[in-house]
Amino acid sequence: ARERAGAGDGVARMASRPEAFLQAAHEHFSRFLAGKSLRYTAERQAVVGAVFEKHRHFEADDLLVWARAHHPRVSRATIYRTLELLVSAGLVRQMTFGDKSAQHYEQVLGIPHHDHLICLACGRVQEVFSADLEREQDALCERHGFEVHHHNLEVFGLCRRCRAAGAKVKKRPKA
């Protein structure tokens, strides 16, 4: 699994009050489930607890291990069903990080918008934010008359550590 690297001010603020975000996540998800006439079971609560105890990128298998530490009866099916509900509730974002065979997730509650730098050698994911880049994206969309609802920028390459270690990545052919 890929670990989160780098942190913005919002992530630092969230990390300083994790119990507040965990409580907010439980309350938001509980209301979401009630609106769908679904129960907020102990197993689902364990999954939410595992997702929101730390800000990190994760895969479903990681979450299964973490959730079972809270509640041993959490099943793989519960993980996948709950992840789907968390994404629908707007509490978790699903990403591929360029790997179509694996789904990655991150919590979004209390986390400010950011983009990702993904190392093709070690898999490290670094969160980044640039106000200049955001302004340029907004201007680009405005020039094309495009109404933005959301976006996700993933930049793939080699991190500083892998470059220093001499890692190489086969160049993609130009289209």
Side-chain angles (χ1 to χ4, degrees):
R2 298 166 195 248
E3 281 298 312
R4 182 189 151 274
D9 290 339
V11 174
R13 281 194 304 273
M14 195 257 356
S16 68
R17 299 186 356 212
E19 66 286 339
F21 285 90
L22 178 58
Q23 184 61 34
H26 279 299
E27 290 171 7
H28 182 95
F29 196 51
S30 178
R31 285 191 305 274
F32 175 82
L33 291 173
K36 295 193 164 296
S37 300
L38 296 172
R39 292 183 326 120
Y40 196 18
T41 63
E43 290 84 1
R44 285 181 175 152
Q45 290 175 36
V47 172
V48 171
V51 168
F52 286 90
E53 68 187 2
K54 292 183 188 172
H55 177 68
R56 55 196 165 190
H57 299 117
F58 60 92
E59 295 176 19
D61 286 341
D62 300 322
L63 186 56
L64 179 61
V65 171
W66 302 333
R68 282 184 175 164
H70 295 278
H71 195 291
R73 293 186 55 202
V74 173
S75 70
R76 185 175 303 279
T78 296
I79 293 293
Y80 282 100
R81 284 193 300 263
T82 304
L83 276 171
E84 186 176 316
L85 290 166
L86 286 167
V87 170
S88 295
L91 293 169
V92 169
R93 177 178 24 234
Q94 183 177 9
M95 301 161 291
T96 61
F97 291 144
D99 180 1
K100 302 293 183 208
S101 65
Q103 295 300 311
H104 305 273
Y105 301 88
E106 73 176 336
Q107 68 182 44
V108 294
L109 179 67
I111 305 299
H113 170 75
H114 59 273
D115 298 307
H116 297 98
L117 304 178
I118 300 130
C119 181
L120 293 169
C122 71
R124 183 171 187 249
V125 177
Q126 184 171 354
E127 294 180 351
V128 295
F129 175 79
S130 167
D132 292 337
L133 182 58
E134 295 299 317
R135 280 191 294 276
E136 183 58 33
Q137 289 174 23
D138 289 343
L140 178 71
C141 291
E142 189 174 315
R143 283 193 303 270
H144 290 275
F146 192 79
E147 180 183 317
V148 179
H149 289 259
H150 64 276
H151 81 272
N152 182 33
L153 176 65
E154 297 175 345
V155 180
F156 298 88
L158 293 173
C159 70
R160 183 176 290 134
R161 263 185 269 162
C162 289
R163 287 178 56 220
K168 301 280 185 217
V169 174
K170 192 163 90 175
K171 300 267 186 202
R172 290 174 38 169
K174 293 190 182 208

